[in-house]
Each structure stands twice: as structure tokens, then as C-alpha cells.
Amino acid sequence: MTLDSEFEKQTNFLIEQTLELYKNAGASPRISQIWDVERTGDFLCGFFVGEMVGSALSAFQIFHKREPSKEEHMEIVDLVEKHAKEIKEFFAKFN
């Protein structure tokens, strides 16, 4: 891996803490109406993953003062994907 170990640690913390916030907040009952989706859980799961990758990429830019390489970008995606089971299990409850 090419990511700095401290950045990796902080990114994992961000993912875990944000998922806990989602678990405590639940989902708005208006999501399916507002966004015209049939499977609210799938929509929220995709939203969450995008939010985590985007937040981590922004944090990378701030932390390193540069854009991530392709390899670093994929490592960030991998960090989010390591939490896939827990993320999918939680958001599946809204389908």
C-alpha cells in the first residue's frame, strides 16, 4: 500500500463513525418520494459509499496538498469496500 498509515487509520475511523451516525439517525421516510427510488436501502447505500469515498479523497487532498495517484485513489476505494458487509447489511433494512 502507498497510503500513509495515519491517513488510512483516520479514513477507517471516518467510515466507522459516519456509519454509526447513520445507524442512530435512520432514514427519512420521504427519500423514496423525493428521489423517486423504489429501493431506498440501495439508494442510501450508494449515497453512503459515494460520500465516504468523496470525503476521503477531499481529506487526502488536504492532508497531502495534492491529488491522489490512481493507485492511491483505488486504495481509498478499497478502504471503503473493506466495510462493505456492514454497510450493505445496515442499508438493506430500508429496502
Side-chain angles (χ1 to χ4, degrees):
M1 290 193 68
T2 58
L3 290 178
D4 176 87
S5 63
E6 183 60 27
F7 178 80
E8 184 177 341
K9 177 182 165 187
Q10 290 298 321
T11 300
N12 279 313
F13 183 75
L14 168 74
I15 296 164
E16 292 161 4
Q17 292 301 304
T18 306
L19 186 56
E20 284 304 311
L21 289 172
Y22 272 74
K23 287 179 178 180
N24 291 328
S28 168
R30 300 179 318 212
I31 289 174
S32 61
Q33 297 162 342
I34 292 171
W35 297 105
D36 194 29
V37 296
E38 292 180 23
R39 296 178 54 89
T40 300
D42 293 346
F43 175 82
L44 288 173
C45 184
F47 179 85
F48 180 84
V49 169
E51 180 183 19
M52 291 301 93
V53 172
S55 294
L57 289 171
S58 294
F60 182 95
Q61 291 171 327
I62 293 167
F63 188 79
H64 292 290
K65 298 180 179 29
R66 66 175 176 82
E67 296 287 325
S69 68
K70 289 180 184 180
E71 294 81 15
E72 291 164 330
H73 185 125
M74 289 311 303
E75 287 179 34
I76 289 170
V77 171
D78 289 343
L79 290 175
V80 177
E81 289 176 346
K82 287 180 184 174
H83 300 273
K85 183 179 182 216
E86 185 179 8
I87 293 168
K88 290 189 300 185
E89 285 175 356
F90 170 68
F91 288 108
K93 296 175 185 179
F94 298 102
N95 283 333

